[in-house]
């Protein structure tokens, strides 16, 4: 049994398999060709934080594959009244085939997975957002070909997205150029030795984006950090991805943002809506990569 709790749970062969399957499943979806290998399979989605894309992409995705889903908002379950996560894991994974969890601490997800009878997927934690980076990397590959040897520039907070890009870099062979405001940088203890050859920290966003093939950013205040919003608005001044910043990247550079976006904060409206932005495809691809992921976790490397 395999879980997807962080990007590094996959090896490169698995990621490339998922990309191939994503292409196939997306093509079928676009041509209205039904493909339902997960009939009678049930996905439970547990949310402790808000979501639009994650919920819709998983719910639509499992349905298209022939299965069904149950949404559990944590506060409305017995978890909200103190039932241990280990007990919940042992109970619900006797009834469903797959579980996706969006929560605060990665450790909660890990505790659930340790007591689960079925594969568990990380739908975002404070630490990682692996489904999103799967979609982002796929979106790059779909538009520009392999990420091998490419430069991905990250401008903004050292958050769950950045730490997941860091895990993807050594696997997919790209370099990450990072610019974060003072006080919001990478935690070098967390980064450890992993991926060290694959990223470089720059002191300004302009330096980080120079020549990059992909420029990407995210909200300045992630879910769970709302109390810091005002301080962050101050600290992140100068970290808005605008046209001048995009002009420093490679001429055919793409712009990505996992969404939701705050126009005028981390990204200028004309970049988000501009010709280099692929954010809507990126969001759509969440559904296609997660269909490939669910198929893989439940059925293995099928090739039909
Ligand atoms: N990008 C992303 O995960 O969006 P949601 O928070 O809407 O699920
Ligand atoms: N970093 C953001 C991503 C939202 C999809 C957050 O964690 O809130």
């Amino acid at each position: 049994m395999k879980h997807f709790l962080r990007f590094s749970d996959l090896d490169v062969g698995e990621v490339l398999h998922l990309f191939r399957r994503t292409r196939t499943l997306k093509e079928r979806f676009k041509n209205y060709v039904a493909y339902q290998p997960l009939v009678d399979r049930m996905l439970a989605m547990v949310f402790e934080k808000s979501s639009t894309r994650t919920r819709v992409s998983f719910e639509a995705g499992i349905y298209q594959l022939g299965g069904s889903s149950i949404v559990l908002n944590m506060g409305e379950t017995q978890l909200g009244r103190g039932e241990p996560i280990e007990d919940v894991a042992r109970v619900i994974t006797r009834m469903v085939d797959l579980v996706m969890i969006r929560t605060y601490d990665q450790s909660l997800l890990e505790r659930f997975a340790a007591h689960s009878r079925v594969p568990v997927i990380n739908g975002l934690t404070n630490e990682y957002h692996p489904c999103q980076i799967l979609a982002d990397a796929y979106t790059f590959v779909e538009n520009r070909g392999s990420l091998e040897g490419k430069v991905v520039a990250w401008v903004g907070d050292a958050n769950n997205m950045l730490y997941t890009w860091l895990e993807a870099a050594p696997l997919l062979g790209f370099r990450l150029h990072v610019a974060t405001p003072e006080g919001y940088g990478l935690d070098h203890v967390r980064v450890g030795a992993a991926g060290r050859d694959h990223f470089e920290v720059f002191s300004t966003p302009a330096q980080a984006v120079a020549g990059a093939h992909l420029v990407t950013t995210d909200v300045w205040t992630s879910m769970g950090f709302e109390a810091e919003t005002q301080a962050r608005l101050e600290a992140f001044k100068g970290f808005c991805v605008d046209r001048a910043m995009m002009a420093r990247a490679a001429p055919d550079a793409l712009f990505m943002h996992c969404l939701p976006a705050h126009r005028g904060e981390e990204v200028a409206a004309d970049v988000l809506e501009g010709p280099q932005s692929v954010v809507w495809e990126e969001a759509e691809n969440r559904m296609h990569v997660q269909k490939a992921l669910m198929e893989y976790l439940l059925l293995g490397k099928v090739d039909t």
Side-chain angles (χ1 to χ4, degrees):
M1 185 176 68
K2 194 163 177 80
H3 301 303
F4 186 49
L5 307 185
R6 50 198 284 182
F7 203 89
S8 57
D9 286 339
L10 299 176
D11 64 30
V12 63
E14 289 173 313
V15 176
L16 297 179
H17 167 79
L18 291 178
F19 286 177
R20 279 193 300 276
R21 289 304 287 168
T22 300
R23 193 179 290 272
T24 303
L25 299 186
K26 183 172 180 178
E27 210 171 279
R28 279 182 200 161
F29 173 77
K30 296 288 179 192
N31 290 306
Y32 302 95
V33 176
Y35 173 63
Q36 304 200 314
L38 301 184
V39 170
D40 286 341
R41 304 294 185 108
M42 179 69 80
L43 165 73
M45 293 191 274
V46 183
F47 286 101
E48 197 179 11
K49 289 177 173 172
S50 308
S51 169
T52 299
R53 279 146 287 271
T54 301
R55 176 170 177 180
V56 175
S57 56
F58 269 107
E59 195 158 342
I62 188 78
Y63 176 80
Q64 289 162 25
L65 292 171
S68 320
S69 62
I70 301 174
V71 173
L72 295 164
N73 293 309
M74 231 186 242
E76 294 163 10
T77 70
Q78 298 289 8
L79 274 167
R81 300 178 64 249
E83 186 171 15
I85 193 78
E86 291 80 1
D87 292 1
V88 176
R90 281 182 284 192
V91 171
I92 74 173
T93 66
R94 284 170 178 260
M95 303 176 194
V96 303
D97 304 281
L98 190 60
V99 178
M100 185 237 78
I101 303 180
R102 167 169 287 199
T103 187
Y104 290 92
D105 290 337
Q106 182 79 9
S107 62
L108 191 99
L109 185 73
E110 283 164 4
R111 282 164 58 202
F112 186 102
H115 292 84
S116 175
R117 287 185 160 195
V118 303
V120 179
I121 299 171
N122 181 348
L124 181 146
T125 58
N126 286 352
E127 287 83 3
Y128 299 110
H129 197 2
C131 291
Q132 185 69 55
I133 300 305
L134 211 49
D136 294 9
Y138 176 77
T139 305
F140 186 91
V141 170
E142 192 175 46
N143 280 279
R144 294 284 186 269
S146 171
L147 267 162
E148 180 111 40
K150 297 291 194 301
V151 172
V152 174
W154 176 268
V155 177
D157 190 20
N159 64 10
N160 42 12
M161 286 288 295
L162 174 55
Y163 281 100
T164 313
W165 274 115
L166 280 175
E167 292 205 340
L171 267 184
L172 297 176
F174 59 88
R175 289 188 63 74
L176 203 54
H177 287 186
V178 177
T180 50
E182 215 169 309
Y184 297 91
L186 284 167
D187 172 350
H188 287 276
V189 177
R190 258 194 80 188
V191 172
R196 220 165 250 289
D197 299 342
H198 290 268
F199 78 91
E200 197 171 336
V201 176
F202 293 84
S203 43
T204 65
Q207 290 169 327
V209 301
H213 303 98
L214 167 62
V215 176
T216 183
T217 186
D218 187 12
V219 291
W220 290 344
T221 304
S222 285
M223 291 181 278
F225 297 84
E226 289 78 3
E228 300 173 11
T229 303
Q230 213 40 50
R232 285 169 175 266
L233 281 173
E234 281 301 312
F236 283 71
K237 277 186 183 145
F239 281 75
C240 177
V241 178
D242 57 14
R243 278 168 66 178
M245 212 185 276
M246 285 304 294
R248 301 180 67 92
D252 68 342
L254 297 175
F255 172 77
M256 289 189 200
H257 187 312
C258 67
L259 305 177
H262 294 77
R263 291 166 174 79
E265 290 186 19
E266 74 276 5
V267 59
D270 57 2
V271 168
L272 191 78
E273 305 286 357
Q276 288 167 284
S277 169
V278 288
V279 298
W280 315 118
E281 276 174 76
E282 179 190 357
E284 178 189 329
N285 283 338
R286 285 290 300 279
M287 181 176 81
H288 303 301
V289 294
Q290 289 161 195
K291 284 172 72 179
L293 177 69
M294 290 190 283
E295 177 193 60
Y296 175 59
L297 294 177
L298 290 175
L299 304 179
K301 281 189 182 170
V302 296
D303 200 15
T304 50

